Amino acid sequence: VLFYSQADSGYSHTFFWSQSSGRLDLGTLGGNWAWADGMNDAGQVFGSSSTATGASHAFFWSESSGMRDLILDGSDWSGIEAMNAAGQVFGSSGTATGASRLFFRSESGGMRDLGSYYFT
C-alpha cells in the first residue's frame, strides 16, 4: 500500500506499507518532499522528490535498493511517465531552457538516453 502523510519534518512524504515490513517512509532525494505516482505488483514505486537544491527529480524505489535518483546528466529536472511490472521506467529529463530528452531505465541496463524531443 502507498500513502502520503506529513513526516516529522512537516512536509509530505510517501509511505509504503506491507504486512511483512510495516510502515516505511520512502524518504526524499535530499529535499523536503516526495510524492509517489505509482507502484507495480512487485512493490516497486516511482514518483518525484525534491532535491537539496529544490529541484524536482524522478525517483525509483524498491525495498531492496531504496530510493534512486533518475535524471540524465546535464538536466535540471526529470519525471517518469510509466513503469511496468519488471520495474522498467520511461520518462523525460530536461533543463530550465527547455531542452528535453527522453529516457528508459532498467535494472540490467541502467539509464539510457533516448534523445531530444520538442513540443510545438
Side-chain angles (χ1 to χ4, degrees):
V1 175
L2 282 180
F3 61 97
Y4 302 100
S5 184
Q6 185 173 324
D8 292 338
S9 65
Y11 292 93
S12 293
H13 282 209
T14 297
F15 290 83
F16 174 84
W17 180 90
S18 72
Q19 192 168 0
S20 61
S21 62
R23 185 183 83 147
L24 299 172
D25 182 345
L26 300 190
T28 71
L29 294 172
N32 297 322
W33 57 267
W35 291 86
D37 294 318
M39 178 173 69
N40 63 17
D41 290 342
Q44 298 166 321
V45 177
F46 73 94
S48 297
S49 173
S50 62
T51 66
T53 63
S56 179
H57 287 199
F59 72 80
F60 172 86
W61 179 91
S62 71
E63 272 192 275
S64 61
S65 66
M67 188 178 284
R68 294 185 189 171
D69 193 347
L70 300 183
I71 191 162
L72 293 171
D73 290 340
S75 294
D76 300 322
W77 59 266
S78 61
I80 296 176
E81 303 303 322
M83 178 174 66
N84 66 17
Q88 299 168 322
V89 296
F90 172 75
S92 57
S93 193
T95 65
T97 60
S100 300
R101 300 181 326 236
L102 300 173
F103 67 81
F104 175 80
R105 186 242 177 227
S106 68
E107 194 64 34
S108 60
M111 293 283 285
R112 220 169 74 206
D113 189 335
L114 300 178
S116 298
Y117 72 96
Y118 298 93
F119 291 109
T120 56

